[in-house]
């Protein structure tokens, strides 16, 4: 079998044991490649466990800058005996197996169609270190050193990164550098370097930044003016609250008094988190909570209150695999319906679907304007894949001329000047009414907020007419929301086509690559990336213009498809679900394969084939 | 119609407080609770306390959960913003509101079902965080709106109106508040306005977590023989440990009581709590003594009322959070948004 040969275009996967300190070595490896100007797309695949279970880190090295997972693995760094068999089986034919050859393994443990690179890591480490902890930690750096020789990764880049990592802890710097060279020297002296797959300096990264979606979203909250976060720890959203704390400590401490221009409360549970957000938002502060699926379930009663009482709460749902506890450390897009219709009774909520960290930042900031403008809960639906993986994306940007949109708030001056006030009076006809913050005016503008039915002046009533009037206005407000939420992104095929594909959120990077692959195979589909719910009229019209539309999602039941059918009154037969929900991020290969196969069922012949055979047709 | 505004006719010579408000300015709408409900007496005591303290009504935020007690904020302080949240979860809403604007006065009104059953968790955490508030539980030991089920504060062995015996131990919210770190803890009786009004005043002036458990008999479902939360039972078993005067700084007066029987304590905000001791051994500054006292009286079938514990200089949540003096909801864009230059620096660190 011919060894795989590729420069700046391969997938390498590290199979490790949770808690062995491999994460920092693996990130070091990936970042060194990025510093060489070669785009990378890494993914953490980790268990719901602290120590001892299998964990993987997959790095896609990609000259073209694709940011999704490709699928398959060209080189496996097999450091976990527990997962040896499936890890070896995953390697593409002609690919490479890198392993610790200290103890011999029977021939049956290998494959004939792959290239095996053995390095006695344990022996090298044991000879150099006596402390067991050091042996574990430095073994990771030693394999990074060996890989630097095998893949031609610039050593100075790695050394610089180590220096940055141990800045202020110089004692640790030298032993790490020594371990790096130990591995590198062994590989250069004993192995054939470089391999068929290798890295070559490039300029593909440019000004792009490498950041986690959770961190970027948290920074968006800072820029969007959020002063209060209430949260309860839950994977994969905890790192967002922690990042918000970090960003606030950097940007929000009053230099004169050293006091905080923010507050963060780790609540006793999710119910209290959202309760606090609602209390703060009612009182005029921008507030948010971040959670995951189980948290949304727990918060639902309060979310219904916020919808009915019209309070601008912002909720970040970093989705994971459900239902119930599901797979807490695996990704999905399975909370779409739970969020769209959270709580009992007739409710509908605004949803935003960021695609990458940059959009997580932007939509986080936008969500506070939207929530204030609409006086309603706004959900930002990230998922573990965006939230907890560092990704390359365009630099974050802020327009300094931008101002917070605090929506319809009557100030003391407005009230003093006699501005008309009735908390639920639809003065402007857009369904959005005016509010006042508590404490604004001694005699005017106070009102009672409640989850029970009320009239236009916020007075409790069980009168059916007043109830219907209110519910109809809430629908009007949802119509208004269409004009305010981000528009869908259209990606038109190079030729006219009767087929379309809809996607959203973290599926974006894999989808873009799949579209390119489909085009290479002369399969034409128009694409539409939904960025928000409620859907704009254009979305429904776009679906109407296509004979058949695929809806690509990372859940079992096609939740966005259900929402399109329900809210857009679309014929369900027109929307074909393409679903990936095993907990791993969707790949370009999967999408392309599914669409190509299904188009076959619709009797579609690729354009190139048509031209070559001189006939046929769709 | 389930909402009735009170007629706006005022007696022209109604007394006014320092802000020029009459007592009527502190009233709300007509109560829809049963005639004779203890909760209405508590509303009346709140009105009295706010009037006497010269509190501007719009500076009070009144929050509640769900239940008969939680309906009451509609019946007092009509010029205040109110929030009737979900069952048992008023404390979190109040906490968030307080974090957002530390300048307002927060008054949480709850019931025994709301706080001791469904809301016990939030009750516990709002106390341990030391949220600056007055938290009043209107405690009748029964679910009124759902017609007479026992709540978690119903005493073991007490009887429901239908004759069922309560077989579960009761939860004493005063003991819980003491244990959880509330810094002003009192118990009173809705039928004892002379005691209740000063206790509410003291709580409103206290700059920390103030808790008041007010026994408030339910005339519809828990005011019968066999109930330990009926008017007659509470009157017969009430034992006041002290009585309270609250003196705000601007009208401080010299003592007119014999020395030795009065304990004056200056609070954080400068106001003075003057405790007139009824039982010489009672020490309201000791959390431990308060817990022992309340429990020992309970064991004797007595209900200890009065100011049971207070800390004159409490810490509150804002101290723990180290928040700026300006309320968070009043910070402007310049103070909140770091701008593009900072973002470019941030980007540079991500390569």
């Amino acid at each position: 079998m011919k060894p795989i040969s590729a420069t700046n275009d391969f997938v390498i996967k590290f199979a490790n044991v949770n808690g062995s300190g491999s994460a920092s070595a693996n990130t070091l490896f990936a970042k060194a490649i990025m510093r060489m100007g070669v785009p990378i797309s890494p993914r953490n695949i980790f268990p719901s466990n602290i120590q001892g279970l299998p964990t993987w880190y997959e790095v896609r090295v990609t000259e073209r800058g694709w940011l999704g997972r490709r699928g398959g693995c060209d080189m496996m760094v097999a450091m976990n005996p527990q997962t040896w068999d499936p890890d070896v089986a995953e390697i593409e034919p002609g690919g490479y197996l890198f392993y610790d050859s200290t103890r011999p393994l029977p021939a049956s443990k290998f494959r004939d169609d792959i290239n095996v690179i053995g390095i006695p890591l344990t022996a090298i480490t044991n000879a150099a270190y006596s402390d067991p902890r050091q042996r574990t930690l430095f073994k990771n750096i030693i394999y990074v050193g060996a890989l630097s020789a095998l893949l031609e990764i610039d050593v100075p880049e790695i050394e610089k990164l180590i220096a940055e990592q141990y800045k202020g802890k110089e004692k640790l710097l030298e032993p790490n550098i020594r371990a790096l060279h130990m591995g590198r020297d062994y590989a250069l002296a004993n192995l054939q370097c470089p391999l068929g797959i290798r890295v070559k300096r490039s300029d593909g990264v440019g000004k792009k930044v490498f950041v986690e979606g959770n961190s970027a979203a948290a920074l968006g909250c800072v820029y969007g003016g959020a002063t209060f976060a209430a949260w309860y720890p839950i994977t994969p959203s905890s790192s967002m609250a922690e990042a918000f704390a970090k960003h606030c400590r950097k940007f929000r401490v009053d230099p004169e008094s050293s006091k905080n221009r923010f507050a963060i409360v780790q609540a006793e549970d999710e119910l209290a988190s959202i309760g606090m957000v609602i209390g703060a938002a009612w009182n005029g502060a921008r507030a948010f909570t971040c959670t995951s699926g189980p948290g949304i379930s727990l918060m639902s009663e309060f979310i219904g209150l916020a919808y009915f009482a019209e309070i601008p709460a912002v909720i970040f749902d970093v989705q994971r695999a459900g239902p119930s506890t599901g797979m807490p450390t695996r990704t999905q897009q399975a909370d779409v319906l739970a969020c769209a219709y959270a709580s009992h009774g007739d409710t509908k909520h605004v949803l935003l679907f960021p695609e990458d960290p940059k959009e997580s930042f932007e939509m986080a900031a936008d969500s506070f304007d939207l929530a204030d403008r609409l006086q309603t809960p706004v959900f930002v639906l990230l998922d573990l894949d965006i939230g907890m993986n560092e990704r390359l994306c365009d630099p974050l940007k802020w327009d300094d001329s931008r101002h917070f949109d605090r929506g319809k708030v009557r100030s003391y001056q407005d009230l003093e000047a006699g501005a008309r006030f009735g908390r639920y009076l639809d003065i402007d006809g857009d369904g959005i009414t005016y509010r006042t913050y508590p404490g604004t005016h001694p005699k005017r503008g106070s009102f009672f907020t409640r989850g029970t039915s009320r009239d236009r002046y916020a007075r409790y009533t069980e009168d059916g007419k007043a109830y219907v009037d209110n519910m109809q206005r809430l629908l009007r407000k949802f119509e208004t929301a269409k004009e305010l939420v981000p528009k869908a992104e259209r990606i038109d095929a190079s030729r006219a086509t009767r087929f379309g594909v809809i996607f959203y959120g973290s599926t974006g990077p894999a989808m873009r690559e799949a579209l390119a692959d489909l085009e290479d195979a002369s399969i034409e589909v128009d694409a539409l990336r939904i960025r928000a719910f409620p859907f704009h009229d254009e979305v429904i019209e776009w679906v109407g213009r296509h004979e058949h539309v695929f809806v690509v999602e990372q859940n079992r039941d096609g939740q966005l498809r259900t929402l399109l059918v329900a809210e857009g009154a679309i014929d369900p037969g027109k929307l074909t679900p393409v679903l990936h929900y095993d907990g791993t991020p969707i790949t370009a290969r999967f999408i392309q394969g599914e669409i190509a196969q299904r188009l076959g069922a619709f009797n579609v012949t690729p354009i190139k084939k048509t031209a070559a055979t001189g006939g046929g047709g769709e | 119609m389930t909402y009735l505004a009170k007629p706006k006719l005022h007696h022209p010579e109604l007394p006014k407080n320092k802000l020029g408000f009459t007592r009527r300015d502190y009233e709300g709408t007509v109560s829809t609770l049963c005639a004779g409900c203890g909760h209405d007496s508590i509303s009346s005591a709140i009105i009295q306390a706010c009037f006497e303290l010269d509190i501007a009504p719009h500076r009070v935020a009144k929050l509640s959960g769900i239940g008969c007690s939680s309906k009451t904020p509609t019946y007092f302080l009509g010029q205040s913003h109110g929030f009737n949240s979900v069952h048992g979860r008023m404390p979190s809403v109040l906490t968030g509101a307080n974090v957002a604007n530390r300048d307002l006065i927060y008054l949480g009104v709850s019931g025994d079902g709301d706080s001791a059953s469904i809301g016990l968790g939030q009750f516990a955490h709002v106390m341990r965080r030391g949220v600056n508030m007055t938290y009043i539980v209107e405690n009748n030991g029964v679910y009124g709106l759902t017609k007479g089920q026992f709540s978690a504060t119903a005493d073991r062995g007490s009887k429901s109106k239908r004759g069922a015996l309560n077989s579960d131990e009761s939860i004493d919210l005063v003991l819980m508040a003491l244990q959880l770190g509330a810094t002003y803890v009192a118990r009173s009786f809705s039928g004892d306005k002379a005691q209740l009004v000063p206790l509410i005043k003291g709580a409103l002036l206290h700059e920390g977590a103030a808790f008041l458990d007010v026994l408030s008999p339910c005339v519809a479902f828990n005011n019968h023989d066999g109930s330990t939360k009926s008017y007659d039972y509470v009157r017969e078993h009430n034992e006041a440990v002290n009585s309270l005067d609250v003196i705000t700084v601007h009208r401080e007066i010299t003592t007119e009581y014999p020395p030795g029987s009065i304990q004056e304590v200056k609070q954080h905000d400068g106001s003075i709590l003057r405790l007139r001791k009824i039982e010489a051994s009672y020490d309201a500054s000791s959390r431990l003594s308060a817990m022992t006292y309340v429990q020992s009286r309970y064991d004797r079938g007595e209900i200890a009322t009065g100011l049971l514990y207070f800390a004159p200089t409490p810490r509150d949540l804002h101290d723990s959070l180290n928040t700026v003096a300006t309320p968070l909801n009043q910070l402007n864009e310049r103070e909140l948004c770091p701008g593009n230059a900072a973002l470019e620096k941030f980007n540079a660190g991500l390569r």
Side-chain angles (χ1 to χ4, degrees), chain B residues 188-302:
Chain B
S188 191
F189 171 41
S190 63
D192 185 357
K193 212 169 169 186
Q195 184 192 48
L196 183 54
V197 172
L199 284 176
I200 294 173
K201 286 163 77 173
L204 287 168
L205 292 171
H206 183 75
E207 294 185 1
F211 174 64
L212 252 137
D213 182 45
V214 187
L215 296 168
S216 171
C218 173
V219 291
F221 297 106
N222 212 10
N223 196 33
H224 50 83
D225 292 346
S227 162
T228 57
K229 300 268 190 292
S230 65
Y231 278 109
D232 289 346
Y233 186 92
V234 177
R235 274 201 193 98
E236 282 160 23
H237 296 80
N238 182 2
E239 193 207 73
V241 296
N242 50 32
S243 66
L244 183 71
D245 290 336
V246 176
I247 301 159
T248 48
V249 183
H250 55 269
R251 47 176 158 135
E252 186 172 358
I253 50 169
T254 52
T255 175
E256 54 188 76
Y257 299 98
S261 66
I262 290 173
Q263 188 183 347
E264 280 192 350
V265 186
K266 195 169 177 182
Q267 291 219 89
H268 217 39
D269 68 342
S271 63
I272 288 170
L273 296 186
R274 177 176 289 161
L275 293 168
R276 269 178 290 158
K277 290 201 171 184
I278 284 175
E279 187 153 325
S281 63
Y282 194 79
D283 176 9
S285 66
S286 162
R287 195 183 285 277
L288 183 64
S289 308
M291 291 168 85
T292 311
Y293 190 89
V294 170
Q295 186 64 51
S296 66
R297 288 303 178 275
Y298 180 79
D299 292 346
R300 280 163 41 177
E302 291 171 1

Side-chain angles (χ1 to χ4, degrees), chain A residues 35 207 210 223 252 258 260 268 272 276 279 283 301 396 398 400 403-404 436 439 443 447 449 459, chain B residues 3 58-59 79 81-82 84 89 92 96-97 106 122 129 321-322 324 329 333 336 339-340 347 350-351:
Chain A
R35 291 274 179 99
K207 290 215 168 290
F210 190 57
Y223 275 74
R252 284 279 188 77
S258 297
N260 299 327
E268 57 269 32
M276 289 179 198
N283 226 352
E301 185 191 19
L396 311 182
W398 188 255
D400 284 331
H403 293 289
F404 299 153
T436 55
K443 300 233 159 153
F447 61 91
T449 301
R459 295 176 302 204
Chain B
Y3 174 90
H58 75 295
R59 305 303 295 170
Q79 289 305 319
H81 273 70
N84 190 194
R89 275 122 205 174
S92 62
Y106 293 91
Q122 295 216 342
R129 287 195 181 98
L321 295 171
N322 192 35
V324 286
N329 69 351
E333 290 177 29
L336 295 178
N340 195 49
N347 283 327
L350 298 175
R351 291 187 185 115

Side-chain angles (χ1 to χ4, degrees), chain A residues 303-312 340 342 344-350 371 373-377 423-426 429-434 450-456 465-482 533-534 567:
Chain A
I303 292 167
L305 172 80
Y307 172 78
F308 199 48
E310 303 184 59
I311 296 167
H344 53 273
D346 291 321
T347 55
K348 288 179 208 265
H349 306 294
V350 174
R373 167 56 55 185
L374 292 163
Q375 296 176 35
T376 199
R423 172 65 181 108
Y424 299 109
L425 275 178
D426 189 3
D430 57 2
I432 306 169
T433 62
Y434 287 80
R450 45 166 57 96
T452 36
S453 187
R454 69 276 161 149
D455 66 10
R456 293 177 180 186
K465 265 192 200 157
Y467 172 80
V468 170
D469 174 63
N470 193 33
M471 292 298 279
Q472 283 296 321
R473 183 181 52 75
L474 287 169
L475 275 186
R476 263 197 319 278
K477 181 159 86 167
F478 207 62
E479 277 297 305
T480 303
K482 285 184 185 176
F533 175 69
E567 299 288 332

Side-chain angles (χ1 to χ4, degrees), chain A residues 67 207-211 356-358 391-396:
Chain A
L67 296 172
K207 290 215 168 290
K208 286 202 162 58
V209 296
F210 190 57
V211 64
D356 62 4
K358 180 169 187 277
R391 289 191 187 202
L392 277 174
C393 65
D394 288 332
L396 311 182

